[in-house]
């Protein structure tokens, strides 16, 4: 099992203590916050390092998987070690959303029962 070095945890904690107060500061404008939030993001470097070191990245989200995957693709970091389990949309022939595919993941059942259903349906 991959466990980041103590220095990595310390750096992440420092970043959180610096950027999080900025993100929630009601006295700062969005124009002030946005560049700093992008600076804090660093997800591309994170994905790159995980891929480089063959560390699996599992994203389990009650959000919209189609959107998550597209963001990851556009950032050019949808590597072979990335696995997304989320809600996916289904469209008709005209490209109109018809429904969300089962099982629908939400806060109250975001657990291994959903994962078992995903594994069963993809087998």
């Amino acid at each position: 099992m991959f466990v980041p070095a103590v220095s990595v945890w310390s750096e992440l904690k420092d970043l959180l203590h610096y950027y999080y107060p900025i993100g929630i500061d009601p006295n700062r404008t969005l124009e002030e916050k946005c560049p700093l939030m992008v600076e804090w993001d660093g997800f591309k470097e994170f994905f790159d390092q995980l891929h480089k070191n063959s560390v699996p990245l599992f994203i389990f989200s009650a959000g919209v998987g189609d959107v998550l995957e597209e963001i990851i693709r556009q950032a050019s970091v949808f590597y072979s070690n990335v696995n997304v389990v989320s809600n996916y949309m289904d469209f008709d022939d005209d490209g109109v959303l018809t429904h969300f595919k089962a099982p629908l993941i939400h806060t109250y059942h975001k657990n291994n029962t959903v994962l078992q259903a995903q594994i069963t349906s993809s087998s």
Side-chain angles (χ1 to χ4, degrees):
M1 177 178 170
F2 174 76
V3 177
V6 172
S7 62
V8 172
W9 290 116
S10 177
E11 184 179 340
L12 289 172
K13 189 173 162 184
D14 291 345
L15 290 170
L16 176 68
H17 289 336
Y18 177 76
Y19 287 106
Y20 182 71
I22 294 169
I24 63 169
D25 185 346
N27 299 313
R28 291 186 187 241
T29 65
L30 284 176
E31 290 76 23
E32 291 175 289
K33 290 180 182 184
C34 284
L36 293 168
M37 295 302 100
V38 169
E39 180 181 297
W40 179 23
D41 189 359
F43 83 94
K44 184 168 180 7
E45 293 80 11
F46 179 67
F47 278 53
D48 288 344
Q49 284 300 312
L50 292 176
H51 181 255
K52 177 181 168 188
N53 291 292
S54 301
V55 176
L57 176 56
F58 181 73
I59 301 169
F60 187 27
S61 172
V64 181
D66 306 83
V67 174
L68 291 170
E69 288 189 7
E70 187 58 28
I71 290 168
I72 297 166
R73 261 190 218 88
Q74 287 188 19
S76 301
V77 292
F78 207 125
Y79 300 122
S80 58
N81 66 316
V82 176
N83 186 9
V84 179
V85 173
S86 189
N87 296 308
Y88 288 90
M89 299 179 279
D90 203 9
F91 300 90
D92 66 15
D93 292 338
D94 296 322
V96 175
L97 175 65
T98 57
H99 64 277
F100 280 88
K101 298 175 183 176
L104 188 61
I105 302 168
H106 55 78
T107 303
Y108 299 111
H109 82 289
K110 191 174 167 184
N111 56 42
N112 67 341
T113 59
V114 175
L115 298 177
Q116 290 301 325
Q118 290 279 358
I119 291 168
T120 304
S121 68
S122 64
S123 301

